[in-house]
Amino acid sequence: MRLTVVGCSGSLPGPGGAASCYLLEADDGPGRRWRVLLDLGSGALGPLQRLVDLHALDAVLLSHLHADHCLDLCGLHVARTYDPALRERPAGRPEPLPVLGPAGTAEHLAAAYGPGSAPELAASFAVRAWRARTPLALGPWDVLVDRVDHPVEAYGIRLRERATGAVLTYTGDTDACPAVVDLARDADLLLAEAAFHEGRDAQRGVHLTGRRAAEVARDAGARSLLLTHLPPWNDPARTLGEAGGAGYTGPVALATPGLVVDVGHPPRR
């Protein structure tokens, strides 16, 4: 399973990159490569096109419906509707792309794209609502989600690659909570947001700090931690330093645009 960071800026695109978007790739048998996005936030569609053919995506998994996690689905709809190359495909326009997200995802996208756009968007996206704690098979992965602690309906996402047993957990946006620890249990990689700073951001129930992200990794027994969703006004070195004070002994790194991580190799037994 390969993770590529498309965008990792928190709350809005930053001067150095897009908001939240992560490309996951894994093989599902000979000759079949699956490509799934975790979130598609504002500004991410541009750099994504340097990494993958937009018409080769297999699904988009949305943690929640804030703009910095989902808004570039509007641009993806434009590409899937008006790209002239689609007329040259032997199979014609692709089938609607599966989009899994919170309740009301289709209505939210239609409101963002414009009045009366719901039927047009339905031709681009097959939207389904998450079912918390209900296993889902998606290509080469087993997927499990659960509600996490954020002001809107939000989900952490756990993906297990069946062929290797490799596990990636993505927190989405959340504060520390039992659900995110359970989702991260024994994960090979915990991709954790860390939008708040210790001592500066006192509000709870919104975001993790570097320290709290590392505490989740420690309590879950995650093998490695990648900190992401850092707003442009944050000091990344401070975030990384906060993570070092949590007693977590696994490797910790900061997400950067274009970073590639091969998750869980060699295969675990």
Side-chain angles (χ1 to χ4, degrees):
M1 171 166 43
R2 174 165 291 182
L3 168 74
T4 303
V5 177
V6 182
C8 53
S9 183
S11 301
L12 73 165
S20 294
C21 183
Y22 311 92
L23 173 65
L24 278 184
E25 300 176 274
D27 292 327
D28 189 22
R32 177 62 168 99
R33 186 76 165 169
W34 273 69
R35 298 170 178 88
V36 167
L37 298 181
L38 300 176
D39 287 339
L40 185 54
S42 42
L45 196 64
L48 179 64
Q49 293 173 77
R50 296 197 293 267
L51 300 171
V52 65
D53 178 356
L54 296 182
H55 308 307
L57 294 171
D58 291 293
V60 179
L61 313 184
L62 298 178
S63 63
H64 65 294
L65 298 178
H66 280 152
D68 60 318
H69 292 260
C70 73
L71 193 60
D72 270 23
L73 275 165
C74 291
L76 182 58
H77 161 66
V78 171
R80 293 178 63 84
T81 302
Y82 300 109
D83 183 351
L86 294 176
R87 293 194 292 268
E88 302 170 7
R89 291 164 57 106
R93 183 176 175 179
E95 292 295 314
L97 181 69
V99 175
L100 289 91
T105 293
E107 293 81 1
H108 185 88
L109 294 176
Y113 192 72
S117 63
E120 183 181 343
L121 286 163
S124 287
F125 303 129
V127 178
R128 288 186 286 162
W130 287 122
R131 297 177 61 191
R133 299 180 296 279
T134 301
L136 169 71
L138 180 68
W141 297 284
D142 294 319
V143 183
L144 188 70
V145 303
D146 204 355
R147 287 284 299 268
V148 293
D149 192 7
H150 199 55
V152 300
E153 182 180 340
Y155 293 87
I157 305 171
R158 177 185 176 95
L159 298 103
R160 178 185 180 274
E161 185 183 11
R162 285 190 294 274
T164 66
V167 173
L168 179 147
T169 296
Y170 172 46
T171 65
D173 281 7
T174 183
D175 201 346
C177 61
V180 77
V181 174
D182 287 344
L183 288 169
R185 188 78 60 195
D186 297 324
D188 294 283
L189 177 64
L190 174 59
L191 178 63
E193 70 109 311
F196 276 0
H197 275 329
E198 295 283 330
R200 183 194 68 187
D201 303 301
Q203 185 178 1
R204 296 305 300 260
V206 184
H207 290 298
L208 295 167
T209 63
R211 181 184 182 92
R212 294 203 292 267
E215 288 171 345
V216 170
R218 179 198 67 200
D219 294 346
R223 291 168 175 79
S224 60
L225 174 63
L226 185 62
L227 300 170
T228 191
H229 197 266
L230 307 185
W233 49 79
N234 273 17
D235 176 1
R238 179 175 171 180
T239 300
L240 192 61
E242 290 175 1
Y248 175 65
T249 58
V252 183
L254 295 169
T256 54
L259 177 70
V260 177
V261 180
D262 288 317
V263 182
H265 294 283
R268 296 203 326 248
R269 302 299 181 193

